[in-house]
Amino acid sequence: MKTRNIKTTILSTVLILLTSYAFAHPTGNMVVIGENVLWSYINPINDPNHFACVMIWTEGSEPKVYIQSEYAASDFMLYNNQNELYIIERRFLQASDKFQVRVLKSTIGEEPRVIWDWFKDNYRIGEGGFFMLSDNQMVFSKYPEIYSLKKGEQPTKYFEFEHPMTRIRAVGHNQILLLGDNACYLVQQSGKILGQWNDLIDQKVENPPMNRNQVFDADYSDGELLLSYWGRRSFDLIDANRKRQIILQQSEPLTPHWVAFRNKEKLLFSSKLVFDGSTPKPHLVLLNHKNQTQVVWN
Protein backbone atom coordinates (compact mmCIF):
# COMPACT_ATOMS: atom_id res chain seq x y z
CA MET A 1 0.00 0.00 0.00
CA LYS A 2 2.84 2.38 0.85
CA THR A 3 4.54 1.72 -2.50
CA ARG A 4 1.24 2.34 -4.28
CA ASN A 5 0.83 5.70 -2.52
CA ILE A 6 4.36 6.74 -3.51
CA LYS A 7 3.68 5.82 -7.15
CA THR A 8 0.41 7.77 -7.04
CA THR A 9 2.19 10.84 -5.67
CA ILE A 10 4.89 10.67 -8.35
CA LEU A 11 2.29 10.27 -11.08
CA SER A 12 0.30 13.23 -9.75
CA THR A 13 3.42 15.41 -9.77
CA VAL A 14 4.29 14.43 -13.33
CA LEU A 15 0.73 15.12 -14.48
CA ILE A 16 0.76 18.55 -12.85
CA LEU A 17 4.00 19.47 -14.59
CA LEU A 18 2.80 18.09 -17.93
CA THR A 19 -0.50 19.90 -17.60
CA SER A 20 1.32 23.15 -16.81
CA TYR A 21 3.51 22.66 -19.86
CA ALA A 22 0.87 21.55 -22.31
CA PHE A 23 -2.17 23.58 -21.35
CA ALA A 24 -1.02 26.62 -19.42
CA HIS A 25 2.25 27.54 -21.05
CA PRO A 26 3.22 30.18 -21.22
CA THR A 27 1.50 31.09 -17.97
CA GLY A 28 1.61 34.82 -17.37
CA ASN A 29 0.83 37.92 -19.41
CA MET A 30 2.25 41.05 -21.02
CA VAL A 31 2.12 44.67 -19.77
CA VAL A 32 3.28 48.07 -20.97
CA ILE A 33 4.92 50.71 -18.74
CA GLY A 34 5.63 53.86 -20.75
CA GLU A 35 7.79 52.72 -23.67
CA ASN A 36 8.74 49.49 -21.90
CA VAL A 37 7.09 46.16 -22.66
CA LEU A 38 7.36 43.32 -20.14
CA TRP A 39 6.21 39.72 -20.44
CA SER A 40 6.58 36.35 -18.74
CA TYR A 41 8.47 33.41 -20.20
CA ILE A 42 11.12 30.83 -19.33
CA ASN A 43 14.89 31.23 -19.33
CA PRO A 44 16.81 29.56 -20.85
CA ILE A 45 14.14 29.01 -23.49
CA ASN A 46 15.26 25.44 -24.17
CA ASP A 47 15.36 24.40 -20.50
CA PRO A 48 12.69 21.74 -19.79
CA ASN A 49 12.95 22.52 -16.05
CA HIS A 50 10.92 25.70 -16.70
CA PHE A 51 12.77 28.43 -14.78
CA ALA A 52 10.47 31.43 -15.15
CA CYS A 53 11.65 34.92 -16.08
CA VAL A 54 10.27 38.35 -16.89
CA MET A 55 11.58 39.86 -20.12
CA ILE A 56 11.73 43.59 -20.90
CA TRP A 57 12.02 45.39 -24.22
CA THR A 58 12.29 49.03 -25.28
CA GLU A 59 12.34 50.34 -28.85
CA GLY A 60 15.88 50.31 -30.27
CA SER A 61 17.16 47.63 -27.91
CA GLU A 62 17.14 43.84 -27.66
CA PRO A 63 14.81 42.04 -25.22
CA LYS A 64 16.59 41.14 -21.97
CA VAL A 65 15.83 39.42 -18.69
CA TYR A 66 14.32 41.76 -16.09
CA ILE A 67 13.99 39.20 -13.29
CA GLN A 68 14.85 35.50 -13.14
CA SER A 69 13.28 32.90 -10.86
CA GLU A 70 15.55 30.61 -8.85
CA TYR A 71 12.96 27.83 -8.95
CA ALA A 72 12.11 25.15 -11.50
CA ALA A 73 8.44 24.77 -12.48
CA SER A 74 7.92 28.46 -11.70
CA ASP A 75 5.83 31.22 -13.28
CA PHE A 76 5.51 35.01 -13.19
CA MET A 77 2.30 37.05 -13.55
CA LEU A 78 2.37 40.84 -14.03
CA TYR A 79 0.30 43.95 -13.28
CA ASN A 80 1.25 47.59 -13.65
CA ASN A 81 -0.29 50.64 -12.03
CA GLN A 82 1.15 53.51 -14.05
CA ASN A 83 4.91 53.22 -13.35
CA GLU A 84 4.63 50.63 -10.60
CA LEU A 85 5.13 46.98 -11.51
CA TYR A 86 3.67 44.18 -9.39
CA ILE A 87 4.88 40.62 -9.94
CA ILE A 88 3.39 37.39 -8.66
CA GLU A 89 5.98 34.60 -8.58
CA ARG A 90 4.75 31.02 -8.28
CA ARG A 91 6.77 27.93 -7.48
CA PHE A 92 5.90 24.24 -7.19
CA LEU A 93 7.24 22.36 -4.18
CA GLN A 94 7.62 18.71 -5.13
CA ALA A 95 8.28 17.60 -1.54
CA SER A 96 4.84 18.78 -0.41
CA ASP A 97 3.09 18.64 -3.81
CA LYS A 98 1.97 22.25 -3.26
CA PHE A 99 2.12 25.59 -5.01
CA GLN A 100 3.33 28.75 -3.27
CA VAL A 101 3.25 32.37 -4.42
CA ARG A 102 4.76 35.66 -3.34
CA VAL A 103 4.29 39.26 -4.51
CA LEU A 104 7.09 41.60 -5.57
CA LYS A 105 7.00 45.29 -6.47
CA SER A 106 9.32 47.55 -8.44
CA THR A 107 9.65 50.38 -10.92
CA ILE A 108 11.71 50.18 -14.10
CA GLY A 109 15.39 50.36 -13.19
CA GLU A 110 14.73 49.34 -9.60
CA GLU A 111 15.42 45.94 -8.07
CA PRO A 112 12.09 44.17 -7.33
CA ARG A 113 11.40 43.82 -3.60
CA VAL A 114 9.18 41.31 -1.82
CA ILE A 115 6.02 42.83 -0.33
CA TRP A 116 4.19 39.51 0.32
CA ASP A 117 6.41 36.60 1.27
CA TRP A 118 5.74 33.00 0.20
CA PHE A 119 2.33 31.57 1.10
CA LYS A 120 0.32 28.51 0.08
CA ASP A 121 -1.62 28.91 -3.17
CA ASN A 122 -4.79 26.87 -3.59
CA TYR A 123 -6.27 29.18 -6.24
CA ARG A 124 -3.54 29.44 -8.91
CA ILE A 125 -3.47 33.14 -8.01
CA GLY A 126 -2.67 35.45 -10.92
CA GLU A 127 -3.02 32.82 -13.63
CA GLY A 128 -6.35 34.34 -14.71
CA GLY A 129 -5.06 37.89 -14.25
CA PHE A 130 -4.86 40.14 -11.21
CA PHE A 131 -4.53 43.74 -10.09
CA MET A 132 -3.64 45.44 -6.82
CA LEU A 133 -6.02 47.69 -4.91
CA SER A 134 -3.09 48.54 -2.60
CA ASP A 135 0.16 46.92 -1.50
CA ASN A 136 -1.94 44.89 0.94
CA GLN A 137 -4.88 43.82 -1.23
CA MET A 138 -5.28 42.24 -4.66
CA VAL A 139 -8.12 41.16 -6.94
CA PHE A 140 -7.74 38.04 -9.08
CA SER A 141 -9.77 35.76 -11.31
CA LYS A 142 -10.15 32.04 -10.69
CA TYR A 143 -12.73 30.48 -12.99
CA PRO A 144 -15.59 31.13 -12.68
CA GLU A 145 -15.34 33.78 -9.90
CA ILE A 146 -13.52 37.02 -9.10
CA TYR A 147 -11.85 37.18 -5.71
CA SER A 148 -10.36 39.76 -3.36
CA LEU A 149 -7.39 38.79 -1.23
CA LYS A 150 -5.95 40.78 1.65
CA LYS A 151 -2.40 40.06 2.75
CA GLY A 152 -2.35 37.23 5.29
CA GLU A 153 -6.05 36.40 4.88
CA GLN A 154 -8.22 34.05 2.81
CA PRO A 155 -9.84 35.05 -0.51
CA THR A 156 -13.41 36.33 -0.61
CA LYS A 157 -15.64 37.12 -3.60
CA TYR A 158 -14.92 40.61 -4.92
CA PHE A 159 -18.34 41.13 -6.45
CA GLU A 160 -21.15 38.98 -7.80
CA PHE A 161 -21.18 38.58 -11.57
CA GLU A 162 -23.75 36.48 -13.39
CA HIS A 163 -21.33 35.21 -16.03
CA PRO A 164 -18.35 32.89 -15.45
CA MET A 165 -14.98 34.60 -15.89
CA THR A 166 -11.73 33.18 -17.25
CA ARG A 167 -9.55 36.30 -17.12
CA ILE A 168 -9.45 39.76 -15.54
CA ARG A 169 -7.49 42.89 -16.48
CA ALA A 170 -7.40 46.43 -15.08
CA VAL A 171 -7.56 48.87 -18.01
CA GLY A 172 -7.43 52.31 -16.41
CA HIS A 173 -10.03 54.83 -15.19
CA ASN A 174 -10.88 52.35 -12.40
CA GLN A 175 -12.33 50.03 -15.04
CA ILE A 176 -11.90 46.26 -15.39
CA LEU A 177 -11.98 44.09 -18.49
CA LEU A 178 -13.53 40.67 -17.85
CA LEU A 179 -13.08 37.83 -20.32
CA GLY A 180 -15.67 35.07 -20.25
CA ASP A 181 -16.18 31.88 -22.23
CA ASN A 182 -17.64 33.63 -25.29
CA ALA A 183 -17.95 37.29 -24.31
CA CYS A 184 -16.00 40.22 -22.88
CA TYR A 185 -17.23 42.87 -20.47
CA LEU A 186 -15.96 46.32 -19.52
CA VAL A 187 -17.11 46.97 -15.96
CA GLN A 188 -16.75 49.39 -13.08
CA GLN A 189 -15.12 48.33 -9.81
CA SER A 190 -18.61 47.51 -8.55
CA GLY A 191 -19.21 45.09 -11.42
CA LYS A 192 -21.62 47.40 -13.28
CA ILE A 193 -21.34 46.68 -17.01
CA LEU A 194 -20.20 49.61 -19.17
CA GLY A 195 -19.62 47.69 -22.39
CA GLN A 196 -20.17 44.18 -23.69
CA TRP A 197 -18.94 42.15 -26.67
CA ASN A 198 -20.76 38.89 -27.39
CA ASP A 199 -20.19 35.90 -29.68
CA LEU A 200 -16.40 36.17 -29.76
CA ILE A 201 -16.01 32.50 -30.69
CA ASP A 202 -16.50 31.19 -34.23
CA GLN A 203 -18.36 27.94 -33.63
CA LYS A 204 -17.45 26.70 -37.13
CA VAL A 205 -13.71 26.61 -36.41
CA GLU A 206 -12.20 23.20 -37.14
CA ASN A 207 -9.16 21.64 -35.47
CA PRO A 208 -8.26 24.47 -33.04
CA PRO A 209 -4.93 24.09 -31.19
CA MET A 210 -5.23 21.32 -28.58
CA ASN A 211 -8.97 21.30 -29.33
CA ARG A 212 -9.44 24.60 -27.47
CA ASN A 213 -11.58 27.08 -29.40
CA GLN A 214 -11.23 30.06 -27.08
CA VAL A 215 -10.15 33.66 -26.72
CA PHE A 216 -6.91 33.44 -24.74
CA ASP A 217 -6.35 37.12 -23.83
CA ALA A 218 -7.87 40.58 -24.37
CA ASP A 219 -6.99 44.25 -23.88
CA TYR A 220 -9.07 47.42 -24.18
CA SER A 221 -8.24 51.02 -25.11
CA ASP A 222 -10.32 53.97 -26.34
CA GLY A 223 -13.29 51.90 -27.42
CA GLU A 224 -11.23 49.17 -29.12
CA LEU A 225 -11.02 45.56 -28.02
CA LEU A 226 -7.88 43.58 -28.89
CA LEU A 227 -8.18 39.79 -28.87
CA SER A 228 -5.85 36.83 -28.95
CA TYR A 229 -8.04 34.20 -30.57
CA TRP A 230 -6.54 30.79 -29.96
CA GLY A 231 -9.13 28.88 -31.97
CA ARG A 232 -8.40 30.60 -35.28
CA ARG A 233 -4.71 31.28 -34.55
CA SER A 234 -5.40 34.96 -35.11
CA PHE A 235 -5.15 38.36 -33.46
CA ASP A 236 -8.40 40.29 -33.88
CA LEU A 237 -9.45 43.90 -33.32
CA ILE A 238 -13.00 45.09 -32.67
CA ASP A 239 -13.10 48.84 -33.26
CA ALA A 240 -15.30 51.47 -31.62
CA ASN A 241 -17.98 50.82 -34.26
CA ARG A 242 -18.04 47.10 -33.36
CA LYS A 243 -16.42 46.10 -36.64
CA ARG A 244 -14.17 43.06 -36.19
CA GLN A 245 -11.14 42.29 -38.31
CA ILE A 246 -8.15 39.97 -38.23
CA ILE A 247 -5.04 42.12 -37.85
CA LEU A 248 -2.57 39.22 -37.86
CA GLN A 249 -3.27 35.71 -39.07
CA GLN A 250 -0.90 32.97 -38.01
CA SER A 251 -0.49 29.34 -38.95
CA GLU A 252 0.60 26.17 -37.20
CA PRO A 253 2.64 25.83 -35.01
CA LEU A 254 2.25 29.48 -33.89
CA THR A 255 -0.45 29.84 -31.23
CA PRO A 256 -1.60 33.32 -30.05
CA HIS A 257 -1.27 34.05 -26.35
CA TRP A 258 -1.12 37.66 -25.14
CA VAL A 259 -2.02 41.10 -26.36
CA ALA A 260 -1.36 44.64 -25.14
CA PHE A 261 -1.93 48.17 -26.40
CA ARG A 262 0.95 50.66 -26.39
CA ASN A 263 -0.83 53.89 -27.33
CA LYS A 264 -2.01 53.19 -30.91
CA GLU A 265 0.42 50.31 -31.34
CA LYS A 266 -0.45 46.71 -30.64
CA LEU A 267 1.81 44.04 -29.17
CA LEU A 268 0.97 40.49 -30.22
CA PHE A 269 2.65 37.54 -28.52
CA SER A 270 2.50 33.92 -29.64
CA SER A 271 4.43 30.72 -29.07
CA LYS A 272 5.46 27.89 -31.34
CA LEU A 273 3.90 24.81 -29.75
CA VAL A 274 5.39 21.62 -31.14
CA PHE A 275 4.78 18.50 -29.09
CA ASP A 276 8.02 16.69 -29.80
CA GLY A 277 9.53 17.16 -26.34
CA SER A 278 10.93 20.62 -27.10
CA THR A 279 9.94 23.73 -25.17
CA PRO A 280 7.72 26.42 -26.74
CA LYS A 281 9.48 29.16 -28.72
CA PRO A 282 8.40 32.84 -28.47
CA HIS A 283 7.21 35.08 -31.28
CA LEU A 284 6.47 38.71 -30.32
CA VAL A 285 5.30 41.19 -32.98
CA LEU A 286 4.70 44.93 -32.79
CA LEU A 287 1.96 46.26 -35.09
CA ASN A 288 2.31 50.04 -35.48
CA HIS A 289 -0.39 52.63 -36.28
CA LYS A 290 0.27 52.09 -40.02
CA ASN A 291 -0.34 48.35 -39.61
CA GLN A 292 3.32 47.61 -40.27
CA THR A 293 4.75 44.64 -38.37
CA GLN A 294 8.06 44.40 -36.55
CA VAL A 295 9.30 41.18 -35.04
CA VAL A 296 10.52 42.03 -31.53
CA TRP A 297 11.48 38.58 -30.21
CA ASN A 298 11.71 35.38 -32.19
Side-chain angles (χ1 to χ4, degrees), residues 173-176 185-188 191-196 242:
H173 306 291
N174 288 320
Q175 296 174 350
I176 310 168
Y185 309 87
L186 182 69
V187 305
Q188 294 178 337
K192 179 182 178 180
I193 297 177
L194 303 174
Q196 182 171 337
R242 299 299 176 117

Side-chain angles (χ1 to χ4, degrees), residues 26 48 65 103 256:
V65 175
V103 182

